[in-house]
């Protein structure tokens, strides 16, 4: 009797403990299943919030740009135009117009044209009328008129992007070009835009002085803006450079697979 | 002979799996399982054959294996824990176990009788480590798929094995002294079942990790 009782106690105790372990595991797995769903939902909300925040930042920036463009056109543009008119009046009054005055008038004319195209490129409404390629071609032409550097722009026939996405992409590339001109002192810039089934790739390559890939570079306002904008488009951006060897900006944006109805919205 | 081979089969399958996936094991410290399983297989086979053919107690061999066995599991938890306090617990558990084991060998049960007290203490400490690991899983703020986590399977196997063994081992002395399990049939049944669960869980832990698999 005692023998059977002890053996039964061993078996019963073992089974009870193992059932407890089983229950614990079941509870743990079930809890994690729910917890995972909750964490995913929270992350999605956070991501959506960040996207909205970035979107508002970009919108504010675009409005500031638009206002700046308007101010340039209406105030400084008008001042320059009236100065040019005054020079013309002076030239007419003088018997012999001097070379310096002629050059000043010509330079002023160039400045007015530059200002007009600059204020155009800052105007959001103007940008929305054209696609990314047209906008960038205009920008390249504008920079090319200075004849101090050569810009090559290769691109596919058309990119199917929403107007807002086009503006964001345009601003990123615009910043990359500005960086190449201002900081890198490049004489040659290559802009390549290509797309595959899964991604859109933009490379901005210059032959300037290059830079050390350190943190200082990464914390600059321009770089931060480029990163923010790329994040907003759900893509990735990287800089490859070393002193004396120019620099390359590689931008990669994902191609979103959408239904036929929405396909025109994406590249 | 057949009985011994059946008893060794789960360990052997586990060892073959670890050999097969050795280079792909992630995290890399899982590769320690290879050495551990080779040693375990050698000890289990040696102890079983020694007992069967020389008709002598193999407790000495099992007593030597005891600190290696528990030491390895404490090391696993030390590696797996992310919180410093849990790591400290695994280290302290190992020190406590070794100290008690030495006392057990020298003052209580000796070398030639299986150190049941040490085994029970080791089992309780391992169960606590498993519970700490599960607590970490429970409170973690990350998206996790337990079924793809090697340490989840290892902890599951250890928890089943050591909780399942606890009742039997704590009454082992009484059962042997009173001859309550002639032919060790109940002992063998429980041990084989628990071994299948333990080494089965180890085997799954070597193949569950998706990181090295080719995407479909």
């Amino acid at each position: 009797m005692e023998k059977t009782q002890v053996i039964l106690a061993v078996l019963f105790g073992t089974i009870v403990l193992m059932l407890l372990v089983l229950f614990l595991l079941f509870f743990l797995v079930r809890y994690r299943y729910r917890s995972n769903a909750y964490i995913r939902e929270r992350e999605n909300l956070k991501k959506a919030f960040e996207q909205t925040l970035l979107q508002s930042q970009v919108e504010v920036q675009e409005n500031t740009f638009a206002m700046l463009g308007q101010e340039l056109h209406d105030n400084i543009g008008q001042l320059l135009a009236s100065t040019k008119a005054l020079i013309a009046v002076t030239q007419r009054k003088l018997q012999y117009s001097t070379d310096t005055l002629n050059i000043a008038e010509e330079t002023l004319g160039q400045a007015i044209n530059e200002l007009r195209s600059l204020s155009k490129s800052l105007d959001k409404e103007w940008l929305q009328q054209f696609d990314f390629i047209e906008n960038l071609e205009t920008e390249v032409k504008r920079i090319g008129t200075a004849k101090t550097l050569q810009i090559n722009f290769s691109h596919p026939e058309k990119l199917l992007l929403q107007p807002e996405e086009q503006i964001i992409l345009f601003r990123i590339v615009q910043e990359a070009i500005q960086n190449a001109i201002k900081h890198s002192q490049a004489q040659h810039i290559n802009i390549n835009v290509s797309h595959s089934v899964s991604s859109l790739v933009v490379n901005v390559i210059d032959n300037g002085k290059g830079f050390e890939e350190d943190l200082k570079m990464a914390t600059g306002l321009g770089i931060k803006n480029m990163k923010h904008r790329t994040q907003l488009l759900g893509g990735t951006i990287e800089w490859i450079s070393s002193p004396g060897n120019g620099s390359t900006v590689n931008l990669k944006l994902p191609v979103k697979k959408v239904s036929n109805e929405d396909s025109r919205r994406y590249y | 002979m057949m009985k011994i081979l059946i008893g060794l089969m789960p360990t052997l399958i586990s060892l073959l799996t670890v050999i097969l996936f050795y280079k792909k094991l992630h995290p890399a410290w899982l590769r320690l399982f290879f050495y551990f399983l080779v040693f375990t297989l050698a000890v289990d086979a040696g102890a079983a054959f020694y007992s069967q053919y020389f008709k002598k107690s193999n407790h000495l061999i099992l007593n030597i294996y005891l600190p290696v066995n528990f030491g390895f599991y404490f090391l696993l938890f030390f590696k797996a824990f992310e919180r410093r306090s849990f790591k400290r617990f695994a280290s302290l558990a190992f020190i406590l176990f070794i100290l008690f084991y030495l006392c057990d060998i020298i003052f209580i049960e000796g070398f030639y009788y299986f150190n049941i007290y040490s085994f029970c203490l080791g089992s309780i400490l391992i169960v606590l480590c498993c519970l700490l690991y599960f607590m970490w899983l429970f409170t973690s703020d990350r998206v996790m798929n337990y079924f793809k986590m090697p340490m989840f399977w290892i902890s599951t196997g250890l928890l089943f094995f050591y909780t399942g063994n606890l009742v039997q081992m704590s009454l082992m002395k009484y059962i042997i002294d009173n001859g309550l399990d002639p032919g060790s049939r109940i002992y063998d049944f429980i041990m084989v079942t628990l071994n299948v669960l333990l080494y089965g869980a180890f085997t799954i832990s070597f193949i569950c990790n998706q990181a090295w698999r080719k995407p479909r």
Side-chain angles (χ1 to χ4, degrees), chain A residues 215-245:
Chain A
L215 278 174
K216 269 186 189 173
M217 175 75 190
T219 51
L221 189 66
I223 302 288
K224 258 187 188 172
N225 277 339
M226 288 167 85
K227 281 182 178 173
H228 269 158
R229 288 169 193 274
T230 311
Q231 203 180 331
L232 196 63
L233 294 174
T236 56
I237 188 164
E238 59 167 5
W239 284 262
I240 301 165
S241 183
S242 62
N245 293 319

Side-chain angles (χ1 to χ4, degrees), chain A residues 164-183:
Chain A
E164 311 90 71
E165 290 171 323
Q166 285 189 43
I167 295 169
I168 296 168
L169 183 62
F170 177 73
R171 292 292 183 220
I172 298 169
V173 179
Q174 204 177 25
E175 185 76 44
I177 298 168
Q178 288 305 318
N179 283 344
I181 298 168
K182 271 192 213 163
H183 308 297

